[in-house]
Amino acid sequence: MQLYSTNNPALRVSLKEAIFKGLPDDNGLFMPEHIQELSPAFFAALPQMSFPDLSFAVASNLIGHSIPPEDLRTIIEKAINFPAPVIPIDENTGALELFHGPSLAFKDFGGRFMAETMSYLNRGEDRELTILVATSGDTGGAVAAGFYKTPGIRVIILYPSGKVSPLQEKQLTTLGENITALEVNGTFDDCQALVKKAFLDPSVSTRHRLSSANSINIARLIPQSFYYFEAYKQVMEAHRNIVFTVPSGNFGNLTAGLLAKKMGLPVHHFIAATNANDVVPAYLNTGNYQPRPSVRTLSNAMDVGNPSNFARMLDLYSSTWNIMKEDISGYAFDDATTEEAVRTVFHQDKYLLDPHGAVGYLAWKKYHEAHPDTYGIVLETAHPAKFLEDMERVLGASIEVPERLAALADKTKVAIPMGKDYADFQAWLMGI
Ligand SMILES: *Cc1c(COP(=O)(O)O)cnc(C)c1O
């Protein structure tokens, strides 16, 4: 399988090159050259398939023989080793819980699959690989957990000081070993700018063999398509007209759903749900795409003003608004409405949504009013306890914290303070 750039369909690279480069030189995004439909035999067997089995079938269909089947199977068995259950909220709504992995957010799927794939493709290289990653919260924890103790690979995480939740910070700063956390005195955008500059800096790339782990990497997108099949499998016998609602920021998760549909998954409709950072819902409603600086919200992992995967969405629909909006509807909600939804669903349905899932839930309810003959699966992208302080404030009560998250509270944070000027970061990189 080869990949092309969304900015230049004539460019072709191997899977290995696409994964290690992250981004094409022309600043587009890598896309698989062919996205084939899965066979009728696959869909007939789907109800009996385990999550790793169907993931293997979907991955093989996407990446062909870029990785030999027996090795791909091993990668998937190591990476996809936790469940993705659909839990009923009410008679028309299920929550697809994507937070059962080590960092308690859906980014574990991408982080773990990318880590396993990169370390597989990195075998036989004698130079250490240094992965730079900027995080606004959840990416860092998932990537750190995915690469923890991977031989030959070192991970450097840049996060904005004071702008990630206390438990998220612990996930980034307490592992040690091959994981280093840099606490940047700036915003997420500053962190991202530092990483970008380092990639373009010849002195740094001479000293280190660099790669990135941000959500634009195709190795993070591929595994996110697996759980759409896993969810469908669980509800296909009881429900029809399945609608997936995706709380979105950079739109990687939704794009992976579009890939699943292209591979033949009979999805009735997609819903793009956002907080006040609503450039994609606005595009779906008006046809105008107007990126703008992000604003801070309660669902902070979705505070993105210029979603990077929008280029992939356009590519999948040949940049045609009318066709895209037939498949995807967009809705946006403010924080007050989101908080109200958390309380309502908790009291009415006894289900605890996190702020991101609550945005998805609201969008689904809005769509369902106009389309009653549908069943909604809301992607629950993170465990509510990751946002402990906000959840307890919203509910006015304490909530349960899973053991593995609670255990973090006692660990000691180790982070290197870093200014937002590139000179400081460069000097540090040249010294390690
Ligand atoms: C990253 C993240 C999102 C947004 O996902 P995208 O793929 O960037 O759209 C939503 N919810 C949570 C909890 C996240 O961590």
Side-chain angles (χ1 to χ4, degrees), residues 106-107 138 247-253 301-302 356 381-382:
F106 82 89
K107 290 187 175 74
D138 286 333
S248 294
N250 256 326
F251 283 83
N253 219 354
M302 314 200 305
H356 306 78
T381 47

Side-chain angles (χ1 to χ4, degrees), residues 8 17 27 77 87 149-150 179 197-198 247 261 275 303-304 321 416 419:
N8 177 10
E17 188 177 343
N27 244 328
E77 277 166 6
I87 307 295
K149 291 188 176 170
T150 301
I179 312 293
K197 283 203 181 120
K261 181 168 170 137
N275 55 34
D303 294 348
V304 180
W321 173 64
I416 298 170

Side-chain angles (χ1 to χ4, degrees), residues 179-202:
I179 312 293
T180 304
L182 303 184
E183 181 174 3
V184 175
N185 186 12
T187 63
F188 169 63
D189 292 331
D190 294 324
C191 296
Q192 219 163 11
L194 290 176
V195 168
K196 275 202 177 140
K197 283 203 181 120
F199 274 108
L200 298 172
D201 181 342

Side-chain angles (χ1 to χ4, degrees), residues 104-107 136-139 168 215 220 224 246-255 299-302 304 309 354 356-357 379-383 386-387:
L104 294 96
F106 82 89
K107 290 187 175 74
S136 59
D138 286 333
T139 293
Q168 283 174 328
S215 69
R220 286 189 47 187
Q224 290 177 203
V246 191
S248 294
N250 256 326
F251 283 83
N253 219 354
L254 183 77
T255 302
S299 46
N300 67 337
M302 314 200 305
V304 180
N309 281 292
D354 92 293
H356 306 78
L379 274 61
E380 198 11 327
T381 47
H383 193 289
K386 279 197 102 165
F387 314 99

Side-chain angles (χ1 to χ4, degrees), residues 216-277:
I216 41 161
N217 197 303
I218 191 74
R220 286 189 47 187
L221 201 63
I222 290 169
Q224 290 177 203
S225 64
F226 304 163
Y227 45 73
Y228 286 89
F229 290 87
E230 173 66 9
Y232 184 83
K233 172 188 102 180
Q234 294 171 60
V235 302
M236 62 190 282
E237 269 149 22
H239 302 285
R240 33 188 223 106
N241 297 339
I242 309 295
V243 174
F244 282 100
T245 305
V246 191
S248 294
N250 256 326
F251 283 83
N253 219 354
L254 183 77
T255 302
L258 300 177
L259 291 183
K261 181 168 170 137
K262 240 191 146 155
M263 286 186 273
L265 190 71
V267 178
H268 182 72
H269 201 69
F270 287 97
I271 301 175
T274 71
N275 55 34
N277 298 286

Side-chain angles (χ1 to χ4, degrees), residues 8 30 92 267 355 360 363 373 400 402:
N8 177 10
F30 287 120
N92 306 307
V267 178
D373 189 23
E400 224 171 286

